[in-house]
Amino acid sequence: MSHRTVAALAVSAIVMLAACSSSSSSPAASAAASAAGSGAASGGASVCGESAAAGAVTVNVVDFSFQPADITAKTGQVITFSNTGSAPHTATLDGGQCATPTIQPGKSDGLTFTVAGTYKFHCSIHSQMTGTIVVS
């Protein structure tokens, strides 16, 4: 075998090993989950889910901001995101644990949390839109 072939095989093996080793139990994945929300559930369980029900807590999505951007709720309460602006938006946890579908202007959707914690979130369409949800 030529040196180029051996080198190519070695690089391929390293790439395959790196891809196989990226699991939720890796230090990088654990750090990402920790940074995304202090209430991340163990075992891959979701900390929240989408809810179309009317919420106890309402957040207005006005143009390109969440109002309020700092939200407080209790576990089990629905946080409703009402899009009163002219562009579509989402409410997506930074760690990717859950998100609303795209909320069109004049429409609403919500999230219900099952695990207490502090969660950073953003609009997946407009990344400059950010906020924090504190669930007790």
Side-chain angles (χ1 to χ4, degrees), residues 23 25-33:
S23 69
S25 62
S26 72
S30 296

Short mmCIF file of all heavy atoms in Angstrom, two decimals, residues 23 25-33:
data_model
loop_
_atom_site.label_atom_id
_atom_site.label_comp_id
_atom_site.label_asym_id
_atom_site.label_seq_id
_atom_site.Cartn_x
_atom_site.Cartn_y
_atom_site.Cartn_z
N SER A 23 -22.09 11.10 21.40
CA SER A 23 -23.35 10.69 22.01
C SER A 23 -23.74 11.68 23.09
O SER A 23 -22.96 12.53 23.48
CB SER A 23 -23.21 9.29 22.60
OG SER A 23 -22.35 9.33 23.72
N SER A 25 -23.83 11.29 26.09
CA SER A 25 -23.08 11.16 27.33
C SER A 25 -21.67 11.73 27.22
O SER A 25 -20.90 11.67 28.16
CB SER A 25 -22.99 9.67 27.72
OG SER A 25 -22.30 8.95 26.73
N SER A 26 -21.33 12.31 26.07
CA SER A 26 -20.00 12.89 25.91
C SER A 26 -19.89 14.18 26.71
O SER A 26 -20.88 14.84 26.97
CB SER A 26 -19.71 13.17 24.43
OG SER A 26 -20.48 14.27 24.00
N PRO A 27 -18.67 14.55 27.12
CA PRO A 27 -18.52 15.80 27.87
C PRO A 27 -19.03 17.01 27.10
O PRO A 27 -19.64 17.89 27.68
CB PRO A 27 -17.00 15.89 28.10
CG PRO A 27 -16.52 14.46 28.02
CD PRO A 27 -17.43 13.80 27.03
N ALA A 28 -18.82 17.05 25.78
CA ALA A 28 -19.27 18.20 24.99
C ALA A 28 -20.79 18.27 24.99
O ALA A 28 -21.37 19.34 25.14
CB ALA A 28 -18.74 18.11 23.56
N ALA A 29 -21.47 17.14 24.82
CA ALA A 29 -22.92 17.12 24.82
C ALA A 29 -23.46 17.50 26.20
O ALA A 29 -24.44 18.21 26.32
CB ALA A 29 -23.44 15.75 24.40
N SER A 30 -22.83 17.01 27.25
CA SER A 30 -23.26 17.34 28.60
C SER A 30 -23.10 18.83 28.87
O SER A 30 -23.97 19.46 29.48
CB SER A 30 -22.45 16.55 29.63
OG SER A 30 -22.70 15.18 29.47
N ALA A 31 -22.01 19.41 28.42
CA ALA A 31 -21.79 20.84 28.61
C ALA A 31 -22.82 21.64 27.83
O ALA A 31 -23.33 22.64 28.33
CB ALA A 31 -20.37 21.22 28.17
N ALA A 32 -23.15 21.20 26.62
CA ALA A 32 -24.15 21.91 25.82
C ALA A 32 -25.51 21.86 26.49
O ALA A 32 -26.23 22.85 26.55
CB ALA A 32 -24.24 21.31 24.42
N ALA A 33 -25.89 20.70 27.03
CA ALA A 33 -27.17 20.57 27.72
C ALA A 33 -27.19 21.46 28.96
O ALA A 33 -28.19 22.10 29.26
CB ALA A 33 -27.44 19.13 28.10
#
